[in-house]
Amino acid sequence: LMAHDAVMAFEDSTYYFYATGHGISMATSKDRNTWTVYPKGVLERVPQWTFDSVPDFKGHIWAPDVIRWHDKWWMMYSCSSFGVNASAIGVMSNITLNPQADDYYWQDHGPVVVSHKQDNWNAIDPNIVIDDNDNPWVVWGSFWDGIQMAPRDDTMHILSGYKPQTIARRYA
């Protein structure tokens, strides 16, 4: 497989591979040697909020990250245009990764963080982590001047009143 910013998950003896692409590229495999590529990707229709939030966004979604937490699959993804930091990270959930299952449906929960030209970081490349107390966190950012981190609530949105914290910075 040719891919950029890829992530893989395993459910019911199947590997699910996701990567940057229109609608989020997707492939499946039982053995990680032979792959079935899904030409439509994960999202048949990219949510309207992405175009409203990110100037010049064309539907090419970047850097998905997927994790199983509290009996759901959660996927974060980036919406941006190359060379700008007006970007957004969205989140969606599903109870299964199997696109042939009757209950397969990615429910989009909207943006979880948006960056603007005045920010010194870029809302791209999310990575979801769960701490030892079962609390979700997300780390994101690259290309500009900082890697950010923020705790999430049970819908994977930033906890009310919490501002992102810089955890790494590049100095020129």
Side-chain angles (χ1 to χ4, degrees):
L1 293 172
M2 301 258 318
H4 187 74
D5 294 329
V7 65
M8 190 169 15
F10 184 76
E11 179 185 53
D12 297 331
S13 73
T14 301
Y15 295 92
Y16 294 87
F17 179 89
Y18 305 99
T20 292
H22 290 283
I24 304 175
S25 298
M26 177 181 162
T28 60
S29 177
K30 296 286 187 183
D31 61 7
R32 291 179 293 165
N33 290 309
T34 304
W35 292 91
T36 301
V37 176
Y38 290 77
K40 290 184 181 180
V42 173
L43 295 172
E44 289 187 32
R45 188 171 303 153
V46 177
Q48 184 59 45
W49 72 261
T50 60
F51 301 100
D52 297 339
S53 299
V54 181
D56 300 323
F57 178 61
K58 305 287 188 243
H60 193 250
I61 300 174
W62 299 355
D65 190 36
V66 66
I67 190 169
R68 182 129 177 111
W69 183 66
H70 290 197
D71 299 321
K72 281 186 186 176
W73 288 98
W74 296 89
M75 185 180 292
M76 287 192 180
Y77 56 91
S78 309
C79 305
S80 191
S81 296
F82 189 76
V84 298
N85 70 328
S87 305
I89 294 173
V91 66
M92 57 188 170
S93 64
N94 199 336
I95 59 171
T96 182
L97 297 178
N98 182 355
Q100 274 75 47
D102 290 338
D103 51 0
Y104 178 82
Y105 174 73
W106 283 104
Q107 179 182 358
D108 193 83
H109 302 284
V112 294
V113 65
V114 177
S115 57
H116 306 281
K117 289 182 180 182
Q118 65 270 23
D119 293 319
N120 69 339
W121 47 270
N122 199 3
I124 61 171
D125 299 343
N127 183 250
I128 308 163
V129 292
I130 308 300
D131 70 18
D132 290 340
N133 295 319
D134 195 39
N135 298 311
W137 293 75
V138 67
V139 177
W140 74 91
S142 60
F143 196 76
W144 297 98
D145 182 37
I147 304 297
Q148 306 298 304
M149 182 174 72
R152 301 295 162 170
D153 61 20
D154 61 358
T155 67
M156 290 290 177
H157 287 80
I158 291 179
L159 283 174
S160 180
Y162 194 89
K163 294 188 191 274
Q165 300 296 306
T166 301
I167 61 170
R169 174 167 280 139
R170 170 181 60 198
Y171 293 99

